Amino acid sequence: AASAMWGGRFAGGPAAIMQRINASIDFDKRLYAQDIRGSKAHCRMLVKQSILTAADGALIQEGLDKVLAEIEAGDFPFSQALEDIHMNVESRLGELIGEAAGRLHTARSRNDQVATDFRLWVRDALDGMDGALRDLLAALLDRAEEHAATVMPGFTHLQTAQPVTFGHHMMAYVEMISRDRSRLADARNRLNECPLGSAALAGTSFPIDREATAAELGFAGPMRNSLDGVSDRDFALEFMSASAICAVHLSRLAEELVIWTSAQFRFVTLSDAFTTGSSIMPQKRNPDAAELVRAKTGRVIGDLNALLIVMKGLPLAYSKDMQDDKEPVFEVADTMELAIAAMAGMVRDMTVNVGTLRAAAGAGFTTATDIADWCVRALKMPFRRAHHVAGSLVKLAEGRNCGLEDLTLAEMQAIEPGITEEARAVLSVESSVNSRTSLGGTAPSRVRQAVAAARRRLAED
Ligand code: ARG
């Protein structure tokens, strides 16, 4: 049978396979609330502009409320034959209120309708993600404050480099996640313009009020160009880009948790709530949640790529390719929700093994830079020469299989006569981190300041 929506020109219905490739209802039903909200705003505006009668307007509003209630109650008859959420809602509206339903689509196309619905949906997703990131930040800040003075090894090339504090390490992620939030906020600003009223592509001959619908839907204003309004999906790409960058941050922290929980490191222990056992090896505690956060980052990056590639070859304005914009975005939103919450849970629950961290912080001559710095300060030595002196001390200690602090004063003076007892004081990991008070440095006093400042910023937005 020909379609009820465009039957005028069609004698026959679609092939079964056509219906399957064409229908999006299985996934775009997630837009139902935004679709109905958009339709109600459009309808109200049509009445205000005397394009629709108040009586028809009232019927439509009531009918749309009923449709919403049916969907939310789980007894809405979704139909593949009706393609997508827009036609499913409109068709059901027709069953409920009759002819007036057919007037709702005046001065509108599914093209501006779906662009509006999707922007509303992504806006909600951005807001939800921002809330989740705030929660993760709160967890990171608590652990950073608690461990502002906990010494651990800092790494470059995954080789022990210099002692840092655990709090400082957590605060590095606070910075990254804070930038992620600011990227989401930027994306939200640009997203927040309303395409409704662009109609199919050219605008409409009806005297619509686009300012009114934009305002009712919480947009800052209408989009300025109808072709752009129906044909760009950069808002979805920006959401996924910001998500992908955030996912990369989560993935790096996840990777660190995987490394840190291994028997060779034992820097932290994840709680039972965020680990699994092995069905064969009784001793195992696997960091599955961290591994999965790391893995799911691949999906998020993949979804961003998928939509970039869909969009790159499309001439203006709408092409059906753009129906494929939704699944990647939904997957990104769902994945990020899980990954952020799992990360917040792991961070909140993990035990930080202070003793292990301290021992590791001292291993590998991590205070060699401190003795070089001492030579520069106390002996006015050029840094390059001081580096050489410290290197010789390391070589000596390595040969003896001991730490720098285990060398006697006489042994040290044999390498550099200017070295005094005072120099030996800089060799402890505590004195090393305490001395790094430069702006942004790892000293506990700096970390405490950074935590307080980050807490203030978080409270402000
Ligand atoms: N389901 C469609 C989508 O998501 C709605 C827009 C259809 N527009 C059209 N011209 N066929 O893209």
Side-chain angles (χ1 to χ4, degrees):
S3 161
M5 297 289 166
W6 51 73
R9 191 185 192 289
F10 282 62
I17 196 70
M18 173 61 198
Q19 201 175 96
R20 275 183 56 204
I21 193 171
N22 202 35
S24 53
I25 187 62
D26 288 344
F27 51 86
D28 70 17
K29 58 166 74 136
R30 286 182 74 167
L31 299 176
Y32 74 89
Q34 290 76 15
D35 191 67
I36 290 170
R37 193 175 163 200
S39 286
K40 293 186 73 170
H42 180 66
C43 170
R44 215 177 327 273
M45 181 277 293
L46 292 178
V47 172
K48 180 176 84 71
Q49 298 301 100
S50 305
I51 301 166
L52 266 194
T53 65
D56 281 342
L59 266 179
I60 291 171
Q61 297 289 345
E62 265 173 56
L64 287 170
D65 287 337
K66 272 201 202 118
V67 174
L68 181 65
E70 285 183 6
I71 296 176
E72 277 176 348
D75 51 38
F76 183 90
F78 286 110
S79 148
Q80 277 242 336
L82 290 168
E83 272 192 49
D84 57 22
I85 185 64
H86 324 293
M87 308 253 263
N88 269 270
V89 169
E90 192 183 316
S91 156
R92 181 72 187 130
L93 184 66
E95 288 170 13
L96 291 170
I97 70 167
E99 264 246 297
R103 300 188 192 279
L104 170 60
H105 213 50
T106 312
R108 187 177 74 170
S109 153
R110 272 191 296 160
N111 296 347
D112 59 337
Q113 187 178 357
V114 73
T116 305
D117 295 2
F118 201 29
R119 276 180 190 255
L120 289 172
W121 197 94
V122 173
R123 194 173 69 185
D124 287 346
L126 282 165
D127 292 344
M129 194 168 148
D130 190 64
L133 289 177
R134 291 181 64 101
D135 189 52
L136 172 58
L137 282 174
L140 287 165
L141 283 166
D142 285 349
R143 304 318 302 267
E145 186 161 38
E146 185 186 336
H147 291 286
T150 299
V151 186
M152 69 178 283
F155 299 89
T156 60
H157 313 264
L158 197 57
Q159 306 292 314
T160 311
Q162 292 175 353
V164 295
T165 56
F166 193 83
H168 196 52
H169 200 110
M170 291 297 104
M171 287 307 288
Y173 285 101
V174 165
E175 294 297 327
M176 295 176 233
I177 301 298
S178 302
R179 284 195 299 275
D180 292 332
R181 287 190 63 218
S182 121
R183 264 183 286 275
L184 291 175
D186 287 347
R188 194 190 196 285
N189 272 336
R190 277 183 295 273
L191 165 147
N192 206 27
E193 291 181 346
C194 187
L196 194 60
S198 298
L201 74 164
T204 174
S205 56
F206 290 97
I208 58 172
D209 180 351
R210 294 192 57 209
E211 308 277 353
T213 41
E216 175 165 351
L217 296 171
F219 289 104
M223 289 182 75
R224 286 180 291 272
N225 181 293
S226 63
L227 289 167
D228 176 48
V230 294
S231 69
D232 206 356
R233 292 295 182 265
D234 57 354
F235 65 92
L237 292 171
E238 278 201 76
F239 166 63
M240 290 197 285
S241 309
S243 296
I245 294 172
C246 177
V248 166
H249 292 150
L250 298 179
S251 186
R252 294 183 74 177
L253 179 51
E255 167 68 4
E256 295 201 306
L257 291 177
V258 171
I259 295 174
W260 290 353
T261 52
S262 68
Q264 289 68 27
F265 276 75
R266 286 277 178 263
F267 285 4
V268 304
T269 308
L270 294 174
S271 69
D272 287 357
F274 284 97
T275 40
T276 61
S278 157
S279 54
I280 175 168
M281 297 163 283
Q283 86 284 7
K284 289 278 245 153
R285 285 175 67 82
N286 294 326
D288 296 38
E291 295 167 81
L292 288 164
V293 167
R294 189 175 59 183
K296 285 177 188 302
T297 299
R299 289 201 200 200
V300 174
I301 295 168
D303 286 326
L304 166 62
N305 272 303
L307 186 57
L308 283 168
I309 295 164
V310 165
M311 296 305 296
K312 69 174 269 298
L314 298 183
L316 304 191
Y318 179 86
S319 295
K320 195 60 173 261
D321 308 51
M322 286 158 65
Q323 177 167 283
D324 259 18
D325 58 358
K326 290 167 204 71
E327 285 164 294
V329 166
F330 291 156
E331 184 172 68
V332 165
D334 294 343
T335 305
M336 293 305 290
E337 187 184 326
L338 259 180
I340 297 167
M343 188 53 81
M346 283 187 282
V347 168
R348 206 166 258 132
D349 280 17
M350 70 188 171
T351 305
V352 178
N353 300 325
V354 175
T356 313
L357 285 168
R358 194 195 175 284
F365 315 107
T366 54
T367 54
T369 318
D370 296 85
I371 189 89
D373 286 350
W374 183 88
C375 291
V376 169
R377 259 194 321 271
L379 308 179
K380 308 281 172 258
M381 213 179 259
F383 181 76
R384 284 294 159 224
R385 222 181 98 212
H387 184 285
H388 198 84
V389 168
S392 306
L393 292 169
V394 167
K395 192 171 168 200
L396 179 64
E398 199 169 34
R400 300 261 156 94
N401 206 8
C402 70
L404 283 174
E405 64 284 1
D406 302 318
L407 297 174
T408 65
L409 186 59
E411 284 170 330
M412 296 178 104
Q413 286 174 337
I415 286 168
E416 169 46 57
I419 290 180
T420 65
E421 219 24 88
E422 182 205 270
R424 294 159 53 79
V426 307
L427 291 174
S428 85
V429 290
E430 282 78 15
S431 94
S432 174
V433 296
N434 284 334
S435 73
R436 290 195 160 56
T437 53
S438 57
L439 179 68
T442 198
S445 57
R446 279 293 188 188
V447 173
R448 288 193 189 96
Q449 276 174 10
V451 170
R455 283 200 199 285
R456 273 198 301 278
R457 288 194 301 272
L458 192 57
E460 274 160 22
D461 73 340

